[in-house]
Amino acid sequence: RKEVEQDPGPFNVPEGATVAFNCTYSNSASQSFFWYRQDCRKEPKLLMSVYSSGNEDGRFTAQLNRASQYISLLIRDSKLSDSATYLCVADRGSNSSASKIIFGSGTRLSIRP
Amino acid sequence: SQTIHQWPATLVQPVGSPLSLECTVEGTSNPNLYWYRQAAGRGLQLLFYSVGIGQISSEVPQNLSASRPQDRQFILSSKKLLLSDSGFYLCACPSGDRGSGENSPLHFGNGTRLTVT
């Protein structure tokens, strides 16, 4: 089983739609969670951290369900510029000073006009 | 905030040739440093991480090695490249921003796209 699993997509939705991605992680000791965005042939860039209480940043909402070990990302009023691959990230929860950060394979999102 | 420099941006190398990719970091001291590889159409695979000079941990057995000769320098090497070494190589370090747990999110360099022919 992969440590971080995502639906690869692609999700193809019209502009203005709401789209949601889920991601599951296997290590119950994981403490830090993030969503990254990666554009074609570019490096991943942090979209937002995911907090236990859930958090929102403009049109983006992230939630964490520790009991079920999944993380979600909701994008409202999607824009053409939201087209990208979205990577789910969790740490391994170790106490070492260099905790390993594990990335999911990404979910491709394509917004059509 | 940190700046991560990676070079070269693209590289085409024949099978069996050596490899050296360099990553340097500015704006921080004694950072944890990471090398990831992303094969075409795939996710990011953690290759190596380092907590300090001369300290390297390998995640997966492979044809590659890493070294950290200076605090803010991280080098990825191979003596003989394989076709399967092709990919997008990314160097990263913690951004220093507060994350959701103990760890801050990673900040990436622009990457090196390696094609082994």
Side-chain angles (χ1 to χ4, degrees):
Chain A
R1 182 185 174 189
K2 290 182 181 177
E3 293 184 78
V4 178
E5 287 203 74
Q6 298 181 247
D7 181 344
F11 284 60
N12 190 321
V13 302
E15 198 173 4
T18 295
V19 60
F21 307 137
N22 284 334
C23 160
T24 58
Y25 60 95
S26 62
N27 190 336
S28 60
S30 294
Q31 293 293 322
S32 302
F33 307 93
F34 311 98
W35 282 103
Y36 278 72
R37 171 197 169 122
Q38 186 175 23
D39 293 297
C40 187
R41 301 181 70 81
K42 297 287 189 180
E43 76 277 16
K45 294 187 177 177
L46 178 69
L47 180 65
M48 59 197 302
S49 297
V50 184
Y51 297 94
S52 296
S53 55
N55 49 298
E56 191 173 304
D57 183 1
R59 297 180 293 107
F60 299 85
T61 301
Q63 292 199 312
L64 169 64
N65 184 319
R66 287 191 186 274
S68 301
Q69 293 182 206
Y70 81 77
I71 307 153
S72 64
L73 177 68
L74 183 77
I75 306 175
R76 292 183 300 278
D77 187 24
S78 53
K79 312 292 184 189
L80 294 175
S81 57
D82 293 333
S83 297
T85 296
Y86 290 83
L87 305 173
C88 173
V89 184
D91 70 2
R92 281 212 184 127
S94 77
N95 292 324
S96 72
S97 59
S99 182
K100 297 155 204 172
I101 310 293
I102 305 300
F103 285 73
S105 298
T107 299
R108 275 179 37 219
L109 173 65
S110 178
I111 307 297
R112 61 180 188 271
Chain B
S1 63
Q2 305 92 335
T3 302
I4 300 177
H5 299 281
Q6 283 188 249
W7 63 91
T10 59
L11 191 58
V12 180
Q13 291 282 105
V15 167
S17 63
L19 173 74
S20 180
L21 301 181
E22 189 160 344
C23 167
T24 59
V25 183
E26 292 178 1
T28 185
S29 60
N30 195 29
N32 295 335
L33 293 173
Y34 303 80
W35 275 113
Y36 285 86
R37 175 173 63 198
Q38 188 174 36
R42 307 288 294 277
L44 274 73
Q45 179 186 30
L46 179 60
L47 301 176
F48 300 96
Y49 69 94
S50 170
V51 301
I53 296 173
Q55 301 179 67
I56 308 294
S57 294
S58 174
E59 272 295 290
V60 293
Q62 56 207 319
N63 186 40
L64 303 168
S65 62
S67 62
R68 188 162 174 183
Q70 299 180 45
D71 180 42
R72 285 173 280 183
Q73 185 184 30
F74 202 21
I75 298 173
L76 184 70
S77 304
S78 174
K79 292 182 180 177
K80 287 186 178 181
L81 284 169
L82 305 172
L83 287 174
S84 57
D85 291 324
S86 293
F88 190 33
Y89 287 83
L90 292 154
C91 179
C93 74
S95 68
D97 296 330
R98 179 178 174 273
S100 53
E102 293 291 322
N103 300 294
S104 65
L106 294 180
H107 174 64
F108 288 88
N110 290 340
T112 294
R113 197 163 297 278
L114 171 67
T115 302
V116 182
T117 60

